[in-house]
Amino acid sequence: KIINVWAQQDPNAAGIWLSTQPPGPGTDTARMTFARQVADLDSDSALRWAETVSDAPMREEAIDHIFANWQSRDANAAAG
């Protein structure tokens, strides 16, 4: 929950902190949550964050969610 609020208030600081945390099961939820929170601001970046989730089903769910939202907001950009 902390990363959710932090990503809304200061996504740059939250991303910097999260990038210092080791990837893996202990940070998968935070990485997925962060990716979903920043998707409206920068979909490309959000997809890259989602790709750092180590749990395959969680990673795929995050990527699918971000991409679907991106397509609904800007289909041309999502296609490129």
Side-chain angles (χ1 to χ4, degrees):
K1 291 184 178 187
I2 292 170
I3 198 74
N4 188 26
V5 173
W6 195 7
Q8 291 174 17
Q9 294 177 350
D10 192 349
N12 289 330
I16 289 168
W17 175 83
L18 191 55
S19 70
T20 67
Q21 305 307 304
T27 60
D28 278 351
T29 300
R31 290 170 184 278
M32 181 188 73
T33 300
F34 180 76
R36 291 176 70 156
Q37 280 298 326
V38 300
D40 288 341
L41 301 172
D42 185 346
S43 296
D44 282 328
S45 179
L47 286 171
R48 286 192 301 276
W49 274 104
E51 290 170 352
T52 69
V53 175
S54 67
D55 179 84
M58 186 184 291
R59 181 178 55 249
E60 292 303 317
E61 186 275 329
I63 290 169
D64 290 348
H65 177 83
I66 292 164
F67 190 72
N69 284 344
W70 191 9
Q71 279 187 308
S72 70
R73 284 190 329 275
D74 189 349
N76 289 333

XYZ file of all heavy atoms in Angstrom:
612
model
N 0.818 -1.202 0.000
C 0.000 0.000 0.000
C 0.854 1.255 0.000
O 0.451 2.265 -0.558
C -0.936 -0.004 1.198
C -2.007 -1.056 1.099
C -2.970 -0.966 2.244
C -4.043 -2.016 2.074
N -5.074 -1.878 3.060
N 2.004 1.197 0.634
C 2.852 2.383 0.704
C 3.308 2.803 -0.684
O 3.258 3.986 -1.025
C 4.062 2.131 1.634
C 3.586 1.987 3.069
C 5.091 3.242 1.510
C 4.638 1.514 4.030
N 3.736 1.858 -1.499
C 4.217 2.209 -2.835
C 3.083 2.764 -3.674
O 3.292 3.628 -4.524
C 4.928 1.013 -3.521
C 5.808 1.475 -4.687
C 3.936 -0.001 -4.015
C 7.061 2.143 -4.287
N 1.867 2.313 -3.444
C 0.707 2.812 -4.168
C 0.520 4.304 -3.920
O 0.410 5.093 -4.858
C -0.535 2.023 -3.745
C -1.737 2.338 -4.581
O -1.640 2.738 -5.721
N -2.903 2.148 -3.996
N 0.521 4.703 -2.667
C 0.344 6.114 -2.299
C 1.551 6.923 -2.750
O 1.419 8.014 -3.310
C 0.097 6.254 -0.780
C 0.086 7.708 -0.355
C -1.207 5.567 -0.396
N 2.739 6.408 -2.502
C 3.965 7.116 -2.849
C 4.042 7.351 -4.358
O 4.421 8.431 -4.814
C 5.154 6.328 -2.353
C 6.450 7.063 -2.305
C 6.670 8.404 -2.535
C 7.722 6.512 -2.005
N 8.000 8.698 -2.387
C 8.677 7.558 -2.056
C 8.161 5.229 -1.677
C 10.023 7.360 -1.814
C 9.498 5.038 -1.421
C 10.421 6.090 -1.497
N 3.681 6.344 -5.145
C 3.718 6.479 -6.604
C 2.738 7.542 -7.086
O 2.994 8.198 -8.092
C 3.422 5.144 -7.263
N 1.648 7.723 -6.378
C 0.690 8.770 -6.732
C 1.233 10.148 -6.377
O 1.041 11.109 -7.124
C -0.639 8.546 -6.016
C -1.405 7.360 -6.494
C -2.649 7.104 -5.650
O -3.105 7.958 -4.923
N -3.176 5.901 -5.750
N 1.888 10.247 -5.237
C 2.359 11.542 -4.750
C 3.686 11.965 -5.360
O 3.896 13.139 -5.643
C 2.470 11.516 -3.231
C 1.132 11.372 -2.556
C 1.238 11.276 -1.044
O 2.322 11.129 -0.491
N 0.111 11.356 -0.386
N 4.606 11.050 -5.519
C 5.941 11.365 -6.040
C 6.491 10.149 -6.778
O 7.337 9.415 -6.254
C 6.866 11.774 -4.888
C 8.168 12.377 -5.368
O 8.470 12.301 -6.587
O 8.905 12.927 -4.521
N 6.016 9.932 -8.008
C 6.421 8.722 -8.730
C 7.929 8.649 -8.980
O 8.492 7.559 -8.979
C 5.637 8.789 -10.031
C 5.163 10.184 -10.160
C 5.080 10.742 -8.774
N 8.585 9.776 -9.172
C 10.034 9.734 -9.402
C 10.765 9.199 -8.184
O 11.629 8.327 -8.302
C 10.571 11.111 -9.801
C 10.136 11.494 -11.191
O 9.940 10.650 -12.053
N 9.975 12.782 -11.415
N 10.444 9.715 -7.007
C 11.103 9.247 -5.784
C 10.779 7.781 -5.519
O 11.662 7.002 -5.139
C 10.687 10.108 -4.592
N 9.539 7.395 -5.734
C 9.143 6.006 -5.515
C 9.901 5.084 -6.470
O 10.373 4.016 -6.075
C 7.638 5.841 -5.691
N 10.039 5.496 -7.727
C 10.761 4.690 -8.701
C 12.239 4.578 -8.378
O 12.834 3.506 -8.527
N 12.821 5.679 -7.928
C 14.238 5.641 -7.548
C 14.446 4.670 -6.396
O 15.352 3.839 -6.415
C 14.739 7.057 -7.200
C 14.827 7.903 -8.477
C 16.088 7.002 -6.491
C 15.040 9.387 -8.228
N 13.593 4.767 -5.379
C 13.726 3.853 -4.241
C 13.529 2.404 -4.684
O 14.319 1.529 -4.331
C 12.715 4.202 -3.142
C 12.757 3.224 -2.028
C 13.625 3.203 -0.979
C 11.911 2.071 -1.871
N 13.372 2.108 -0.181
C 12.326 1.404 -0.708
C 10.849 1.554 -2.606
C 11.706 0.244 -0.261
C 10.244 0.394 -2.165
C 10.664 -0.246 -0.996
N 12.481 2.168 -5.477
C 12.182 0.801 -5.896
C 13.319 0.219 -6.738
O 13.616 -0.972 -6.644
C 10.858 0.763 -6.660
C 10.267 -0.597 -6.954
C 10.083 -1.427 -5.686
C 8.932 -0.434 -7.672
N 13.983 1.061 -7.505
C 15.083 0.562 -8.335
C 16.284 0.111 -7.497
O 17.131 -0.635 -7.987
C 15.517 1.620 -9.348
O 16.167 2.698 -8.707
N 16.339 0.524 -6.245
C 17.437 0.088 -5.363
C 17.115 -1.214 -4.639
O 17.981 -1.773 -3.969
C 17.777 1.169 -4.311
O 16.685 1.309 -3.399
C 18.115 2.492 -4.963
N 15.885 -1.672 -4.766
C 15.461 -2.902 -4.099
C 15.717 -4.095 -5.024
O 15.484 -4.013 -6.225
C 13.975 -2.831 -3.734
C 13.600 -1.632 -2.896
C 14.449 -1.511 -1.654
O 14.526 -2.439 -0.852
N 15.109 -0.367 -1.491
N 16.186 -5.194 -4.473
C 16.465 -6.357 -5.329
C 15.175 -6.928 -5.921
O 14.161 -7.017 -5.228
C 17.122 -7.360 -4.383
C 16.711 -6.940 -3.013
C 16.458 -5.461 -3.063
N 15.217 -7.276 -7.194
C 14.034 -7.903 -7.785
C 13.827 -9.295 -7.189
O 14.769 -9.932 -6.736
C 14.359 -7.979 -9.272
C 15.827 -7.860 -9.366
C 16.302 -7.123 -8.147
N 12.593 -9.729 -7.185
C 12.272 -11.053 -6.679
C 10.933 -11.056 -5.984
O 10.232 -10.040 -5.960
N 10.570 -12.180 -5.413
C 9.253 -12.316 -4.788
C 8.965 -11.260 -3.722
O 7.821 -10.848 -3.550
C 9.287 -13.712 -4.171
C 10.315 -14.454 -4.943
C 11.336 -13.428 -5.360
N 9.986 -10.802 -3.024
C 9.783 -9.817 -1.965
C 9.378 -8.439 -2.463
O 8.810 -7.654 -1.712
N 9.671 -8.153 -3.727
C 9.316 -6.837 -4.268
C 8.349 -6.915 -5.449
O 8.008 -5.881 -6.027
C 10.576 -6.058 -4.701
O 11.266 -6.800 -5.714
C 11.488 -5.766 -3.526
N 7.916 -8.108 -5.808
C 7.020 -8.247 -6.957
C 5.747 -7.424 -6.822
O 5.347 -6.744 -7.775
C 6.652 -9.715 -7.186
C 7.709 -10.473 -7.966
O 8.653 -9.838 -8.491
O 7.588 -11.708 -8.047
N 5.107 -7.470 -5.679
C 3.857 -6.722 -5.507
C 4.113 -5.226 -5.626
O 3.333 -4.505 -6.259
C 3.193 -7.068 -4.165
O 2.904 -8.469 -4.153
C 1.899 -6.301 -3.969
N 5.195 -4.745 -5.032
C 5.528 -3.324 -5.120
C 5.814 -2.927 -6.565
O 5.367 -1.868 -7.029
C 6.718 -2.999 -4.228
N 6.536 -3.751 -7.290
C 6.860 -3.458 -8.690
C 5.595 -3.449 -9.550
O 5.424 -2.571 -10.400
C 7.873 -4.457 -9.223
C 9.242 -4.272 -8.622
C 10.202 -5.419 -8.972
N 11.459 -5.219 -8.290
C 12.428 -4.419 -8.715
N 12.282 -3.767 -9.847
N 13.537 -4.280 -8.029
N 4.714 -4.411 -9.335
C 3.469 -4.449 -10.085
C 2.607 -3.230 -9.765
O 2.065 -2.581 -10.654
C 2.687 -5.723 -9.785
C 1.380 -5.807 -10.566
S 0.334 -7.190 -10.069
C -0.244 -6.619 -8.482
N 2.492 -2.912 -8.490
C 1.691 -1.775 -8.068
C 2.244 -0.473 -8.637
O 1.500 0.362 -9.148
C 1.637 -1.700 -6.524
O 1.055 -2.905 -6.042
C 0.840 -0.514 -6.043
N 3.558 -0.317 -8.561
C 4.189 0.881 -9.097
C 3.919 0.998 -10.600
O 3.545 2.063 -11.091
C 5.691 0.867 -8.819
C 6.394 2.080 -9.341
C 6.294 3.294 -8.681
C 7.148 2.016 -10.495
C 6.934 4.429 -9.171
C 7.793 3.131 -10.987
C 7.683 4.339 -10.326
N 4.107 -0.087 -11.318
C 3.890 -0.073 -12.765
C 2.466 0.348 -13.105
O 2.249 1.175 -13.997
C 4.191 -1.456 -13.353
N 1.511 -0.183 -12.389
C 0.115 0.154 -12.659
C -0.183 1.609 -12.306
O -0.979 2.261 -12.980
C -0.807 -0.798 -11.913
C -0.736 -2.207 -12.498
C -1.553 -3.190 -11.740
N -2.969 -2.926 -11.941
C -3.927 -3.822 -11.797
N -3.609 -5.050 -11.457
N -5.173 -3.507 -11.975
N 0.466 2.127 -11.267
C 0.226 3.513 -10.860
C 0.797 4.512 -11.866
O 0.206 5.545 -12.105
C 0.816 3.794 -9.479
C -0.031 3.319 -8.350
C -1.389 3.996 -8.315
O -1.556 5.160 -8.656
N -2.380 3.237 -7.931
N 1.960 4.215 -12.429
C 2.580 5.177 -13.334
C 2.150 4.991 -14.784
O 2.560 5.763 -15.657
C 4.127 5.160 -13.217
C 4.556 5.509 -11.809
C 4.715 3.849 -13.669
N 1.315 4.022 -15.053
C 0.903 3.728 -16.428
C 0.243 4.925 -17.111
O 0.463 5.142 -18.303
C -0.016 2.520 -16.455
N -0.534 5.697 -16.385
C -1.179 6.867 -16.998
C -0.170 7.972 -17.304
O -0.394 8.778 -18.204
C -2.279 7.418 -16.087
C -3.508 6.518 -16.052
O -3.666 5.687 -16.968
O -4.298 6.648 -15.108
N 0.922 8.011 -16.572
C 1.936 9.036 -16.777
C 2.909 8.659 -17.889
O 3.325 9.504 -18.678
C 2.736 9.267 -15.485
C 1.940 9.703 -14.267
C 2.823 9.706 -13.029
C 1.353 11.091 -14.509
N 3.297 7.394 -17.938
C 4.298 6.938 -18.897
C 4.125 5.433 -19.104
O 4.697 4.622 -18.383
C 5.698 7.262 -18.364
C 6.805 6.933 -19.342
O 6.551 6.217 -20.343
O 7.935 7.366 -19.102
N 3.349 5.084 -20.101
C 3.027 3.676 -20.343
C 4.252 2.850 -20.706
O 4.377 1.702 -20.280
C 1.959 3.549 -21.427
O 0.760 4.143 -20.996
N 5.166 3.420 -21.489
C 6.392 2.684 -21.835
C 7.173 2.308 -20.582
O 7.605 1.166 -20.419
C 7.299 3.518 -22.746
C 6.839 3.534 -24.191
O 6.262 2.532 -24.645
O 7.060 4.555 -24.858
N 7.363 3.275 -19.715
C 8.084 3.032 -18.466
C 7.343 2.019 -17.602
O 7.956 1.137 -16.995
C 8.287 4.343 -17.705
O 8.951 4.128 -16.499
N 6.031 2.155 -17.542
C 5.231 1.227 -16.741
C 5.404 -0.201 -17.237
O 5.523 -1.134 -16.430
C 3.763 1.636 -16.783
N 5.426 -0.394 -18.539
C 5.633 -1.737 -19.084
C 7.019 -2.270 -18.726
O 7.162 -3.453 -18.397
C 5.436 -1.741 -20.600
C 3.991 -1.627 -21.067
C 3.940 -1.420 -22.575
C 3.188 -2.850 -20.659
N 8.022 -1.411 -18.767
C 9.371 -1.855 -18.376
C 9.400 -2.260 -16.906
O 10.047 -3.239 -16.539
C 10.396 -0.771 -18.684
C 10.699 -0.646 -20.171
C 11.900 0.210 -20.460
N 11.801 1.568 -19.958
C 11.202 2.585 -20.593
N 10.658 2.379 -21.772
N 11.182 3.785 -20.060
N 8.705 -1.506 -16.053
C 8.631 -1.877 -14.633
C 7.901 -3.206 -14.471
O 8.316 -4.060 -13.693
C 7.941 -0.790 -13.811
C 8.890 0.257 -13.361
C 9.032 1.524 -13.872
C 9.857 0.134 -12.323
N 10.036 2.174 -13.204
C 10.555 1.357 -12.249
C 10.206 -0.885 -11.451
C 11.573 1.587 -11.326
C 11.218 -0.666 -10.536
C 11.894 0.558 -10.481
N 6.803 -3.375 -15.192
C 6.039 -4.622 -15.085
C 6.902 -5.819 -15.476
O 6.782 -6.892 -14.893
C 4.785 -4.546 -15.950
N 7.786 -5.627 -16.432
C 8.663 -6.713 -16.874
C 9.673 -7.128 -15.801
O 10.269 -8.200 -15.903
C 9.387 -6.311 -18.158
C 8.448 -6.237 -19.347
C 9.082 -5.618 -20.579
O 10.212 -5.094 -20.500
O 8.423 -5.645 -21.627
N 9.853 -6.315 -14.759
C 10.792 -6.670 -13.688
C 10.155 -7.545 -12.612
O 10.845 -7.979 -11.691
C 11.399 -5.409 -13.016
O 10.397 -4.724 -12.265
C 12.043 -4.493 -14.045
N 8.863 -7.799 -12.724
C 8.178 -8.681 -11.767
C 8.620 -10.114 -12.052
O 8.506 -10.590 -13.186
C 6.643 -8.522 -11.888
C 5.924 -9.518 -10.998
C 6.221 -7.089 -11.553
N 9.129 -10.799 -11.041
C 9.676 -12.145 -11.264
C 8.607 -13.227 -11.370
O 8.812 -14.226 -12.049
C 10.674 -12.508 -10.156
O 10.029 -12.635 -8.912
N 7.467 -13.038 -10.732
C 6.382 -14.015 -10.786
C 5.678 -13.896 -12.138
O 5.075 -12.863 -12.437
C 5.404 -13.758 -9.634
C 4.242 -14.710 -9.646
O 4.385 -15.828 -9.125
O 3.173 -14.323 -10.185
N 5.781 -14.940 -12.954
C 5.271 -14.881 -14.326
C 3.787 -14.523 -14.427
O 3.427 -13.635 -15.201
C 5.566 -16.182 -15.064
N 2.882 -15.179 -13.690
C 1.469 -14.806 -13.804
C 1.204 -13.353 -13.370
O 0.423 -12.644 -14.006
C 0.747 -15.795 -12.879
C 1.664 -16.966 -12.781
C 3.055 -16.386 -12.861
N 1.868 -12.921 -12.313
C 1.700 -11.545 -11.847
C 2.242 -10.562 -12.892
O 1.634 -9.536 -13.178
C 2.424 -11.346 -10.505
C 2.200 -9.995 -9.873
S 3.155 -9.755 -8.345
C 2.344 -10.910 -7.238
N 3.390 -10.900 -13.481
C 3.995 -10.058 -14.513
C 3.064 -9.937 -15.723
O 2.813 -8.834 -16.213
C 5.344 -10.644 -14.932
C 6.055 -9.827 -15.995
C 7.420 -10.402 -16.359
N 7.356 -11.794 -16.768
C 7.854 -12.825 -16.076
N 8.484 -12.631 -14.940
N 7.745 -14.063 -16.533
N 2.543 -11.063 -16.185
C 1.654 -11.049 -17.353
C 0.377 -10.256 -17.078
O -0.103 -9.524 -17.940
C 1.327 -12.475 -17.799
C 2.523 -13.204 -18.369
C 3.152 -12.479 -19.554
O 2.429 -11.985 -20.433
O 4.393 -12.392 -19.590
N -0.169 -10.409 -15.873
C -1.387 -9.661 -15.508
C -1.113 -8.165 -15.532
O -1.913 -7.389 -16.047
C -1.872 -10.106 -14.119
C -3.201 -9.493 -13.719
C -3.060 -8.118 -13.079
O -2.049 -7.853 -12.432
O -3.983 -7.283 -13.255
N 0.025 -7.756 -14.999
C 0.373 -6.333 -14.970
C 0.570 -5.806 -16.387
O 0.059 -4.731 -16.734
C 1.627 -6.110 -14.132
N 1.293 -6.547 -17.212
C 1.523 -6.112 -18.595
C 0.210 -6.013 -19.352
O -0.047 -5.027 -20.050
C 2.508 -7.071 -19.295
C 3.912 -6.901 -18.693
C 2.523 -6.853 -20.807
C 4.907 -7.961 -19.116
N -0.640 -7.018 -19.210
C -1.940 -7.000 -19.895
C -2.775 -5.807 -19.447
O -3.399 -5.126 -20.272
C -2.709 -8.296 -19.640
C -2.101 -9.493 -20.340
O -1.224 -9.316 -21.208
O -2.508 -10.631 -19.995
N -2.806 -5.547 -18.151
C -3.585 -4.431 -17.609
C -3.074 -3.092 -18.146
O -3.856 -2.256 -18.600
C -3.520 -4.453 -16.077
C -4.210 -3.317 -15.431
N -5.565 -3.311 -15.194
C -3.739 -2.122 -14.986
C -5.895 -2.169 -14.630
N -4.804 -1.433 -14.480
N -1.778 -2.898 -18.097
C -1.183 -1.636 -18.553
C -1.424 -1.446 -20.041
O -1.827 -0.367 -20.484
C 0.323 -1.603 -18.222
C 0.519 -1.537 -16.704
C 1.008 -0.430 -18.916
C 1.915 -1.889 -16.241
N -1.199 -2.492 -20.819
C -1.379 -2.380 -22.261
C -2.841 -2.118 -22.627
O -3.124 -1.293 -23.493
C -0.858 -3.629 -22.968
C -0.805 -3.464 -24.462
C 0.153 -2.640 -25.036
C -1.710 -4.110 -25.272
C 0.196 -2.464 -26.412
C -1.676 -3.940 -26.646
C -0.722 -3.123 -27.218
N -3.772 -2.794 -21.970
C -5.200 -2.579 -22.254
C -5.602 -1.135 -21.945
O -6.339 -0.508 -22.725
C -6.056 -3.553 -21.448
N -5.129 -0.610 -20.826
C -5.443 0.777 -20.493
C -4.812 1.746 -21.485
O -5.422 2.745 -21.864
C -4.988 1.111 -19.066
C -5.922 0.534 -18.037
O -7.043 0.147 -18.333
N -5.455 0.459 -16.805
N -3.589 1.453 -21.901
C -2.897 2.292 -22.867
C -3.660 2.302 -24.191
O -3.866 3.349 -24.797
C -1.489 1.776 -23.049
C -0.549 2.670 -23.803
C -0.750 3.959 -24.199
C 0.766 2.332 -24.231
N 0.356 4.439 -24.835
C 1.306 3.462 -24.877
C 1.543 1.192 -24.126
C 2.589 3.481 -25.424
C 2.824 1.206 -24.661
C 3.328 2.342 -25.305
N -4.085 1.131 -24.629
C -4.853 1.046 -25.881
C -6.138 1.859 -25.802
O -6.520 2.499 -26.774
C -5.189 -0.401 -26.216
C -4.067 -1.150 -26.869
C -4.530 -2.510 -27.334
O -5.105 -3.281 -26.578
N -4.278 -2.812 -28.584
N -6.804 1.810 -24.661
C -8.066 2.554 -24.537
C -7.836 4.058 -24.510
O -8.702 4.807 -24.943
C -8.844 2.100 -23.292
O -8.201 2.505 -22.120
N -6.662 4.483 -24.019
C -6.356 5.911 -23.973
C -5.785 6.429 -25.299
O -6.094 7.538 -25.718
C -5.349 6.215 -22.853
C -5.919 6.217 -21.485
C -4.947 6.767 -20.439
N -3.532 6.544 -20.699
C -2.859 5.440 -20.382
N -3.466 4.430 -19.798
N -1.568 5.337 -20.642
N -4.930 5.631 -25.941
C -4.240 6.071 -27.146
C -3.815 4.859 -27.964
O -2.674 4.394 -27.867
C -3.024 6.922 -26.757
C -2.363 7.600 -27.942
O -2.692 7.264 -29.092
O -1.496 8.465 -27.699
N -4.734 4.355 -28.770
C -4.490 3.128 -29.533
C -3.302 3.262 -30.469
O -2.540 2.312 -30.644
C -5.737 2.736 -30.308
N -3.113 4.440 -31.071
C -1.987 4.625 -32.001
C -0.654 4.512 -31.282
O 0.271 3.875 -31.776
C -2.090 5.969 -32.709
C -3.221 5.991 -33.722
O -3.602 4.957 -34.257
N -3.789 7.169 -33.941
N -0.523 5.142 -30.148
C 0.734 5.077 -29.389
C 0.992 3.656 -28.893
O 2.127 3.182 -28.924
C 0.703 6.047 -28.215
N -0.055 2.983 -28.452
C 0.099 1.622 -27.935
C 0.522 0.672 -29.064
O 1.275 -0.271 -28.830
C -1.194 1.140 -27.297
N 0.074 0.931 -30.261
C 0.410 0.081 -31.407
C 1.847 0.290 -31.867
O 2.441 -0.599 -32.463
C -0.543 0.328 -32.562
N 2.400 1.464 -31.586
C 3.753 1.792 -32.062
C 4.772 1.274 -31.188
O 5.766 0.786 -31.265
